[in-house]
């Protein structure tokens, strides 16, 4: 019986678990605590001298360069504020290329000459740090002899207090760069790409007659999906614990249609968790709105209000940390893996984005006047052009070993990057393509010319859940990013490819106008040209249909099914030229990103393969053999007393055990033959050798799960993990 003990103990622990109640005073309204732990604009206004405040606001709100002379004053005000909030330490927070968040903590206190401790925090400590951090991946950008990395204050993302029962920490969002100034993180390129996009957007806005437009920024709102399971189950599943997903587990008899169970199964415990999480997020100034998802059992979603993409990216990281931390307090584990459970829906992170500024508002919002709409269509056309030209890069920006389990299955968008515009907008573009007779679908006929574009509704109403890139009325939604991912990568790509498209548009308009064309005609020509050349990327039908795969191929759209198909997009001549032209990545940086992504891919699959082997040998096989012995003993004792023994079950179990052993042998030899000659070869072997071998082991094991006596089965089952919360 000992083999099954862990599982049975876990079930008991879950049944007896008492969720914490009244964790926080119910009287505390969210409005009271919002931003409580943030060095907000209001706090700065109160604590900083007026000129310093104004200078800092110009950087934060209008993208003006940071004046270094403000650092000392800001540092001192920040320290006083933080210490009043109980902070004893400060940390430069940065975002290495592992999709995680890193912090280096230092004490405010330094020994004084008289032996006492004095609180010190100067401008230079605020603006620059030197964490050793040499173990973070750098893709060859840091040779060991120059293994230094520097962190630098990002004034545009607010500092905050991280609470801990043992003392609070002032957290300062920073970039992380090498000694040579090359990016080792996700934030640096996001800031660079933002700047590149803003510059080109400004050119377009000026052509539209806005003389002094405020800096354009990209906004992002990410919908985070996640699973919750009880921690007792989590700890008795080495696969979940070490790789984030179940490497074994038979599909439960009811499959995907557990929807009915789902609502019944949402206990107060999960609601309590959500409220607690929301409260923590509010304190950190993260505008969260929670709700649950109906798709898979145990799966939920949290979508914060959109913010500037740089702040949204930082907040998204903090949100993931918070979701995990609060879950533990509630005896649960929060899983961000894209496919923790086979056979039921996985988790994504839809990234909604728009462009805008304080003078023009949202540039992806259809306006009230034809002039506004012409501008709106130009920005939409920029999106169409860039997604068509650089679909492969968008695909590469979401490529990972874990997201491969989700993309292309009938739950996530297909790996083909296309755009959904909705009927109304698609119709307008179709007419532009035909020469500019612009009528709105329901309204009557209108004259040719941009001035007479129809008034477009702000919400076209129709939705298409199968499209990877969908217009949703006032923004685009990129649905391919995975739940584990930082949103910085996708946003860097979006900003950069938009910079290129807006650059193209501004340059074309300039040329046409200086060639004597009047403005409306020039806009018409550019729009027509874009939709004719790039309209192939627009697809308004079912992206899950098999016919789409065929049609997309005919349209020449790439279908990069796996990470290994997608990653080479990062180092094509065209991609490298694009990123270096807009100052986002130099060639070395592009190569380093490619190498790190490849390394991460190999690492993820190598760990899973080793775990599969170990669990099969030490957990699954022993349980199966125990049951086999029990059956064999039964058969022989029956025979001994002359009873006819039925050996069907024994034969079936023995046959599957033989399959399992064969699978184990193959997996072991694949692991032994890991080709480490080059990263590419190694990765290819992971995909072609390890993954299929793991599947074979799993398949035999999952069959055994349906045969072996329940009291002997060692691993918590899908049914248990997904339903007993
Ligand atoms: P749905 O389920 O319809 O996709 P949700 O309400 O779950 O919508 O999520 C919408 C997300 O889009 C939220 O994070 C929201 O803040 C974000 N969003 C809304 N408007 C914009 C915008 N103009 N720019 C960027 N993100 C936006
Ligand atoms: Mg959505």
């Amino acid at each position: 019986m000992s083999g099954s003990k862990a599982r049975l103990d876990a079930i008991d622990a879950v049944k007896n678990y008492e969720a914490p109640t009244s964790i926080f005073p119910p009287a505390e309204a969210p409005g009271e605590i919002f931003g409580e732990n943030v060095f907000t604009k209001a706090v700065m206004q109160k604590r900083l001298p007026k000129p310093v405040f104004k200078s800092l606001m110009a950087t934060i709100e209008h993208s003006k360069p940071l004046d270094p002379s403000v650092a000392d004053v800001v540092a001192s005000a920040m320290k006083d504020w933080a210490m009043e909030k109980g902070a004893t330490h400060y940390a430069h927070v940065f975002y290495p290329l592992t999709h995680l968040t890193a912090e280096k903590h230092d004490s405010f206190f330094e020994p004084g000459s008289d032996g006492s401790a004095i609180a010190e925090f100067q401008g230079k400590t605020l603006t620059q740090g030197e964490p050793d951090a040499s173990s973070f991946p750098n893709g060859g950008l840091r040779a060991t002899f120059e293994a230094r990395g520097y962190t630098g204050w990002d004034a545009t993302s607010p500092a905050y207090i991280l609470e801990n029962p043992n003392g609070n920490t002032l957290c300062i969002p920073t970039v992380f760069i090498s000694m040579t100034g090359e990016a080792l993180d996700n934030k640096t390129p996001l800031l660079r790409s933002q700047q590149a996009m803003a510059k080109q957007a400004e050119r377009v806005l000026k052509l539209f007659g806005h003389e002094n437009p405020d800096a354009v920024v990209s906004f992002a709102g990410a919908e985070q999906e996640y699973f919750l399971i009880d921690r007792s189950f989590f700890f008795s599943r080495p696969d979940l614990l070490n790789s984030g997903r179940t490497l074994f587990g038979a599909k439960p008899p009811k499959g995907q249609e557990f929807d009915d169970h789902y609502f019944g199964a949402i206990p107060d415990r999960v609601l309590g968790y959500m409220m607690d999480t929301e409260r923590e997020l509010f304190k950190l100034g993260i505008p969260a709105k929670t709700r649950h998802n109906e798709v898979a059992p145990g799966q939920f979603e949290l979508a914060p209000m959109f913010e500037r993409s740089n702040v949204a990216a930082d907040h998204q990281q903090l949100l993931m940390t918070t979701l995990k931390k609060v879950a533990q307090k509630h005896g649960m584990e929060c899983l961000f893996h894209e496919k923790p459970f086979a056979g039921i829906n996985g988790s994504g992170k839809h990234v909604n984005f728009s462009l805008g500024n304080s003078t023009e508002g949202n540039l992806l919002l259809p306006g009230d006047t034809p002039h506004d709409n012409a501008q709106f269509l130009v920005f939409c056309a920029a999106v169409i052009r860039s997604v068509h030209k650089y679909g492969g890069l968008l695909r590469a920006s979401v490529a990972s070993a874990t997201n491969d389990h989700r993309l292309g299955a009938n739950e996530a968008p297909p790996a083909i990057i296309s755009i959904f515009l909705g009927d109304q907008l698609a119709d307008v573009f179709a007419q532009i393509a035909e020469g500019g007779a612009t009528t709105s679908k329901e309204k009557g006929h209108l004259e040719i010319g941009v001035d007479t574009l129809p008034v477009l509704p702000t919400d076209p109403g129709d939705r298409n859940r199968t499209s990877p890139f969908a217009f949703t009325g006032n923004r685009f939604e990129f649905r391919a990013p995975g739940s584990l991912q930082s949103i910085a990568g996708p946003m860097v790509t979006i900003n950069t490819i938009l910079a290129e498209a807006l650059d193209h548009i501004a340059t074309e308009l300039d040329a046409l106008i200086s060639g004597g064309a009047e403005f409306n005609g020039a806009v018409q020509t550019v729009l027509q040209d874009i939709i004719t050349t790039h309209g192939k990327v627009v697809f308004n039908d079912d992206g899950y249909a098999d016919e789409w795969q065929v049609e997309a191929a005919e349209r020449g759209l790439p279908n990069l099914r796996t990470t290994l198909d997608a990653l080479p997009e990062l180092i094509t001549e065209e991609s490298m030229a694009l990123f270096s032209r807009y100052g986002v990545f130099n060639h070395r940086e592009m190569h380093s990103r490619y190498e790190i992504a490849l390394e991460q891919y190999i690492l993820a699959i190598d760990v899973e393969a080793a775990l599969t082997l170990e669990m099969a040998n030490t957990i699954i096989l022993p349980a199966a053999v125990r049951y086999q012995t029990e059956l064999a003993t039964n058969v022989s004792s029956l025979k001994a007393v002359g009873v006819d023994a039925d050996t069907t079950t024994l034969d079936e179990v023995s046959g599957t055990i033989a399959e399992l052993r064969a699978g184990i042998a193959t997996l072991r030899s694949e692991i032994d033959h890991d080709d480490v000659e080059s990263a590419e070869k190694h990765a290819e072997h992971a995909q072609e050798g390890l993954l299929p071998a793991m599947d074979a082991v799993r398949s035999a094991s999952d069959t055994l799960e349906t045969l072996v006596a329940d009291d002997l089965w060692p691993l918590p089952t899908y049914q248990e993990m997904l339903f007993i919360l």
Side-chain angles (χ1 to χ4, degrees), residues 219-223 289 291 301 303-306 350 352-354 362 463 465 474-475 477:
F219 294 96
E223 302 161 50
K289 56 177 181 137
R291 56 172 187 196
E301 183 186 287
M305 279 283 296
F306 66 95
H350 298 175
N352 297 266
F353 80 90
S354 59
N362 182 354
R463 286 280 165 116
R465 301 258 164 218
N474 63 352
R475 62 186 188 270
E477 180 173 347

Short mmCIF file of all heavy atoms in Angstrom, two decimals, residues 219-223 289 291 301 303-306 350 352-354 362 463 465 474-475 477, ligand 1:
data_model
loop_
_atom_site.label_atom_id
_atom_site.label_comp_id
_atom_site.label_asym_id
_atom_site.label_seq_id
_atom_site.Cartn_x
_atom_site.Cartn_y
_atom_site.Cartn_z
N PHE A 219 -0.36 51.40 -25.48
CA PHE A 219 -1.03 50.96 -24.26
C PHE A 219 -1.22 49.45 -24.36
O PHE A 219 -1.47 48.93 -25.45
CB PHE A 219 -2.39 51.62 -24.11
CG PHE A 219 -2.31 53.10 -23.89
CD1 PHE A 219 -2.44 53.98 -24.96
CD2 PHE A 219 -2.08 53.61 -22.62
CE1 PHE A 219 -2.35 55.35 -24.76
CE2 PHE A 219 -1.99 54.98 -22.42
CZ PHE A 219 -2.13 55.86 -23.49
N ALA A 220 -1.14 48.77 -23.21
CA ALA A 220 -1.37 47.33 -23.23
C ALA A 220 -2.22 46.91 -22.05
O ALA A 220 -2.08 47.44 -20.94
CB ALA A 220 -0.03 46.58 -23.19
N GLY A 221 -3.13 46.00 -22.31
CA GLY A 221 -3.93 45.38 -21.25
C GLY A 221 -3.89 43.88 -21.50
O GLY A 221 -4.29 43.43 -22.56
N ALA A 222 -3.34 43.12 -20.54
CA ALA A 222 -3.15 41.69 -20.76
C ALA A 222 -4.11 40.87 -19.91
O ALA A 222 -4.26 41.12 -18.72
CB ALA A 222 -1.72 41.31 -20.41
N GLU A 223 -4.78 39.93 -20.56
CA GLU A 223 -5.69 39.04 -19.83
C GLU A 223 -4.93 37.80 -19.41
O GLU A 223 -4.51 37.02 -20.24
CB GLU A 223 -6.87 38.66 -20.72
CG GLU A 223 -7.65 39.87 -21.24
CD GLU A 223 -8.49 39.51 -22.46
OE1 GLU A 223 -9.22 38.52 -22.40
OE2 GLU A 223 -8.39 40.23 -23.46
N LYS A 289 -9.30 43.69 -12.38
CA LYS A 289 -10.69 43.26 -12.23
C LYS A 289 -10.70 41.75 -12.42
O LYS A 289 -10.13 41.22 -13.37
CB LYS A 289 -11.61 43.99 -13.21
CG LYS A 289 -11.23 43.86 -14.67
CD LYS A 289 -12.25 44.56 -15.55
CE LYS A 289 -11.85 44.38 -16.99
NZ LYS A 289 -12.67 44.08 -17.97
N ARG A 291 -12.36 37.81 -12.55
CA ARG A 291 -13.55 37.03 -12.86
C ARG A 291 -13.06 35.64 -13.22
O ARG A 291 -11.89 35.41 -13.39
CB ARG A 291 -14.30 37.64 -14.01
CG ARG A 291 -13.39 37.76 -15.19
CD ARG A 291 -14.01 38.16 -16.39
NE ARG A 291 -12.92 38.01 -17.36
CZ ARG A 291 -12.92 38.53 -18.53
NH1 ARG A 291 -13.93 39.24 -18.91
NH2 ARG A 291 -11.93 38.33 -19.35
N GLU A 301 -9.32 33.67 -14.82
CA GLU A 301 -8.67 34.74 -15.58
C GLU A 301 -8.71 36.05 -14.80
O GLU A 301 -9.66 36.32 -14.08
CB GLU A 301 -9.41 34.94 -16.91
CG GLU A 301 -8.75 35.98 -17.79
CD GLU A 301 -9.55 36.28 -19.05
OE1 GLU A 301 -9.56 35.43 -19.94
OE2 GLU A 301 -10.15 37.36 -19.11
N ALA A 303 -7.97 40.19 -15.59
CA ALA A 303 -7.58 41.20 -16.57
C ALA A 303 -7.53 42.57 -15.93
O ALA A 303 -8.53 43.09 -15.47
CB ALA A 303 -8.58 41.22 -17.73
N PRO A 304 -6.34 43.16 -15.86
CA PRO A 304 -6.25 44.52 -15.34
C PRO A 304 -6.63 45.54 -16.40
O PRO A 304 -6.61 45.23 -17.59
CB PRO A 304 -4.77 44.66 -14.97
CG PRO A 304 -4.06 43.69 -15.83
CD PRO A 304 -5.02 42.63 -16.25
N MET A 305 -6.95 46.74 -15.98
CA MET A 305 -7.17 47.84 -16.92
C MET A 305 -5.87 48.12 -17.67
O MET A 305 -4.79 48.00 -17.10
CB MET A 305 -7.50 49.12 -16.14
CG MET A 305 -8.93 49.23 -15.69
SD MET A 305 -9.97 49.70 -17.07
CE MET A 305 -9.31 51.33 -17.43
N PHE A 306 -6.01 48.53 -18.91
CA PHE A 306 -4.80 48.77 -19.70
C PHE A 306 -4.05 50.00 -19.18
O PHE A 306 -4.63 50.91 -18.60
CB PHE A 306 -5.14 48.95 -21.17
CG PHE A 306 -5.97 50.16 -21.50
CD1 PHE A 306 -5.35 51.33 -21.91
CD2 PHE A 306 -7.35 50.14 -21.40
CE1 PHE A 306 -6.11 52.46 -22.22
CE2 PHE A 306 -8.11 51.26 -21.71
CZ PHE A 306 -7.49 52.42 -22.11
N HIS A 350 -3.86 37.05 -23.50
CA HIS A 350 -4.20 37.94 -24.61
C HIS A 350 -3.64 39.33 -24.33
O HIS A 350 -3.91 39.90 -23.28
CB HIS A 350 -5.72 38.06 -24.77
CG HIS A 350 -6.37 36.75 -25.11
ND1 HIS A 350 -7.73 36.61 -25.21
CD2 HIS A 350 -5.84 35.54 -25.40
CE1 HIS A 350 -8.01 35.36 -25.54
NE2 HIS A 350 -6.88 34.69 -25.65
N ASN A 352 -3.96 43.00 -25.32
CA ASN A 352 -4.72 44.04 -26.02
C ASN A 352 -3.83 45.26 -26.12
O ASN A 352 -3.18 45.64 -25.15
CB ASN A 352 -5.97 44.42 -25.21
CG ASN A 352 -6.92 43.25 -25.07
OD1 ASN A 352 -7.83 43.10 -25.86
ND2 ASN A 352 -6.71 42.40 -24.08
N PHE A 353 -3.81 45.90 -27.29
CA PHE A 353 -2.98 47.10 -27.36
C PHE A 353 -3.63 48.18 -28.23
O PHE A 353 -4.44 47.91 -29.10
CB PHE A 353 -1.57 46.78 -27.85
CG PHE A 353 -1.49 46.64 -29.35
CD1 PHE A 353 -1.21 47.75 -30.15
CD2 PHE A 353 -1.71 45.43 -29.94
CE1 PHE A 353 -1.16 47.62 -31.52
CE2 PHE A 353 -1.66 45.29 -31.32
CZ PHE A 353 -1.39 46.39 -32.12
N SER A 354 -3.25 49.39 -27.93
CA SER A 354 -3.67 50.53 -28.74
C SER A 354 -2.55 51.57 -28.68
O SER A 354 -1.58 51.41 -27.94
CB SER A 354 -4.98 51.12 -28.19
OG SER A 354 -4.81 51.53 -26.86
N ASN A 362 -7.12 57.97 -28.21
CA ASN A 362 -6.83 56.65 -28.76
C ASN A 362 -6.82 56.70 -30.29
O ASN A 362 -7.84 56.98 -30.92
CB ASN A 362 -7.87 55.65 -28.25
CG ASN A 362 -7.63 54.24 -28.75
OD1 ASN A 362 -6.74 54.00 -29.58
ND2 ASN A 362 -8.42 53.30 -28.25
N ARG A 463 -17.29 39.45 -32.93
CA ARG A 463 -16.07 38.96 -32.30
C ARG A 463 -15.65 37.69 -33.01
O ARG A 463 -16.48 36.93 -33.46
CB ARG A 463 -16.34 38.62 -30.82
CG ARG A 463 -16.49 39.84 -29.95
CD ARG A 463 -15.11 40.35 -29.62
NE ARG A 463 -15.19 41.71 -29.09
CZ ARG A 463 -14.83 42.00 -27.86
NH1 ARG A 463 -14.43 41.09 -27.03
NH2 ARG A 463 -14.86 43.25 -27.45
N ARG A 465 -13.12 34.62 -32.00
CA ARG A 465 -12.23 34.11 -30.96
C ARG A 465 -11.10 33.26 -31.54
O ARG A 465 -10.24 32.81 -30.82
CB ARG A 465 -13.03 33.28 -29.96
CG ARG A 465 -14.13 34.06 -29.29
CD ARG A 465 -13.71 34.47 -27.88
NE ARG A 465 -14.61 35.51 -27.40
CZ ARG A 465 -14.21 36.55 -26.67
NH1 ARG A 465 -12.96 36.69 -26.35
NH2 ARG A 465 -15.07 37.47 -26.27
N ASN A 474 -11.69 49.25 -30.49
CA ASN A 474 -10.84 50.41 -30.19
C ASN A 474 -9.42 49.98 -29.91
O ASN A 474 -8.60 50.73 -29.39
CB ASN A 474 -11.39 51.18 -28.99
CG ASN A 474 -11.38 50.33 -27.73
OD1 ASN A 474 -11.11 49.14 -27.78
ND2 ASN A 474 -11.67 50.95 -26.60
N ARG A 475 -9.11 48.73 -30.23
CA ARG A 475 -7.78 48.17 -29.96
C ARG A 475 -7.62 46.89 -30.76
O ARG A 475 -8.60 46.38 -31.30
CB ARG A 475 -7.66 47.84 -28.47
CG ARG A 475 -8.68 46.79 -28.03
CD ARG A 475 -8.65 46.58 -26.52
NE ARG A 475 -9.45 45.46 -26.08
CZ ARG A 475 -10.73 45.55 -25.74
NH1 ARG A 475 -11.37 46.69 -25.81
NH2 ARG A 475 -11.38 44.47 -25.34
N GLU A 477 -6.19 42.90 -30.41
CA GLU A 477 -5.93 41.91 -29.38
C GLU A 477 -5.05 40.81 -29.97
O GLU A 477 -5.46 40.13 -30.90
CB GLU A 477 -7.26 41.33 -28.89
CG GLU A 477 -7.12 40.30 -27.82
CD GLU A 477 -8.48 39.87 -27.23
OE1 GLU A 477 -9.49 40.55 -27.48
OE2 GLU A 477 -8.50 38.84 -26.54
P1 LIG B 1 -12.51 40.37 -23.68
O1 LIG B 1 -12.80 39.18 -22.81
O2 LIG B 1 -13.65 40.87 -24.47
O3 LIG B 1 -11.31 40.20 -24.51
P2 LIG B 1 -11.66 41.71 -21.25
O4 LIG B 1 -12.51 42.71 -20.57
O5 LIG B 1 -11.41 40.41 -20.63
O6 LIG B 1 -12.22 41.60 -22.73
O7 LIG B 1 -10.23 42.32 -21.45
C1 LIG B 1 -10.02 43.41 -22.19
C2 LIG B 1 -8.62 43.88 -21.92
O8 LIG B 1 -8.36 44.89 -22.90
C3 LIG B 1 -8.45 44.55 -20.56
O9 LIG B 1 -7.18 44.25 -20.04
C4 LIG B 1 -8.53 46.02 -20.94
O10 LIG B 1 -7.87 46.88 -20.05
C5 LIG B 1 -7.86 46.02 -22.28
N1 LIG B 1 -8.19 47.21 -23.09
C6 LIG B 1 -9.37 47.82 -23.22
N2 LIG B 1 -9.27 48.93 -24.00
C7 LIG B 1 -7.97 49.00 -24.37
C8 LIG B 1 -7.20 49.92 -25.15
N3 LIG B 1 -7.75 50.97 -25.72
N4 LIG B 1 -5.89 49.68 -25.31
C9 LIG B 1 -5.30 48.61 -24.73
N5 LIG B 1 -5.97 47.73 -23.98
C10 LIG B 1 -7.28 47.91 -23.79
#
